[in-house]
Amino acid sequence: MKNIVVFASGSGTNAENIIAHFNKTNSANVVAVFSNNPNAKVLDKAKKWNVPTIVFSKEALFSKELPEKLNAFQPDLIVLAGFLLKFPPTIIASYPHKVINIHPALLPKYGGKGMYGMNVHRAVIENKESQTGITIHFVNTDYDEGHIIFQKRVPLTGLESPEVVAEKVHQLELEYFPGVIENVLNLPNQY
């Protein structure tokens, strides 16, 4: 059984979907949810599934204490699911090709610092894109620039509001993220 640790900052719908998916398999388990937001709804969702939670400050993200807590869970994969802070290079180096993220756009477009949530969807609409989607990628030391693992597209009519685009993208996240995680867990270390 492989261990997944999820990092999340917000509502936790993706995190809960991942927990539920792996709760039905015998391939992996979400063994912890880490959050930088003590008020994040993801913490309640994790507790509902009896998944341990760790809350930390932004400063702790770059301390020695957080990697020690993370290492205690012996993660085979670290999944960023709506985690809004830049991930520390020390953890990335300790877990090469074992940290993945989901982004609510088709990278390399609409990535980088500040490009998350509704900021992304507004930019997609302002630029009159005919499609958008999700990108799941390995995390490196630059925002949204790691090797792309998976993309899924959804067409846009040009009449959608940012909220409608967000919902279309979220449906893709819920449908595809757990399966891609499962595939990544089964990859040989080739990257």
Side-chain angles (χ1 to χ4, degrees):
M1 183 82 68
K2 295 188 177 179
N3 294 335
I4 300 167
V5 171
V6 174
F7 277 71
S9 299
S11 67
T13 53
N14 274 317
E16 185 173 35
N17 189 44
I18 293 163
I19 293 167
H21 173 85
F22 285 101
N23 203 42
K24 294 182 265 181
T25 75
N26 57 8
S27 61
N29 271 326
V30 175
V31 295
V33 170
F34 282 60
S35 182
N36 61 301
N37 179 356
N39 301 313
K41 291 185 170 118
V42 69
L43 299 170
D44 294 329
K45 289 177 177 155
K47 288 174 184 167
K48 181 178 96 176
W49 288 90
N50 296 315
V51 173
T53 58
I54 306 290
V55 177
F56 59 91
S57 66
K58 185 175 181 180
E59 297 74 32
L61 185 60
F62 295 93
S63 72
K64 289 181 181 177
E65 179 186 334
L66 191 69
E68 288 172 3
K69 288 181 179 180
L70 177 62
N71 294 342
F73 290 100
Q74 301 179 333
D76 295 291
L77 190 66
I78 299 166
V79 176
L80 310 186
F83 184 68
L84 300 182
L85 299 178
K86 190 166 185 181
F87 214 63
T90 53
I91 295 177
I92 294 167
S94 296
Y95 293 92
H97 312 293
K98 297 291 181 191
V99 183
I100 67 171
N101 181 47
I102 190 163
H103 187 75
L106 298 169
L107 294 175
K109 288 184 172 184
Y110 308 109
K113 187 172 184 171
M115 292 306 285
Y116 60 88
M118 294 307 280
N119 296 343
V120 172
H121 307 311
R122 283 188 202 98
V124 165
I125 288 172
E126 286 168 11
N127 287 308
K128 299 180 177 20
E129 295 287 352
S130 62
Q131 62 183 356
T132 190
I134 59 171
T135 302
I136 300 168
H137 63 93
F138 286 108
V139 174
N140 65 14
T141 55
D142 297 311
Y143 279 114
D144 302 322
E145 292 184 14
H147 178 83
I148 292 173
I149 302 164
F150 176 86
Q151 288 187 312
K152 188 67 178 176
R153 301 170 193 285
V154 64
L156 299 176
T157 65
L159 302 174
E160 293 92 348
S161 67
E163 292 77 15
V164 169
V165 173
E167 184 55 32
K168 286 183 175 190
V169 168
H170 189 59
Q171 289 307 311
L172 293 178
E173 292 171 343
L174 293 174
E175 183 175 351
Y176 292 100
F177 202 13
V180 172
I181 292 167
E182 197 155 359
N183 290 339
V184 170
L185 281 168
N186 294 320
L187 281 176
N189 278 337
Q190 58 190 12
Y191 293 99

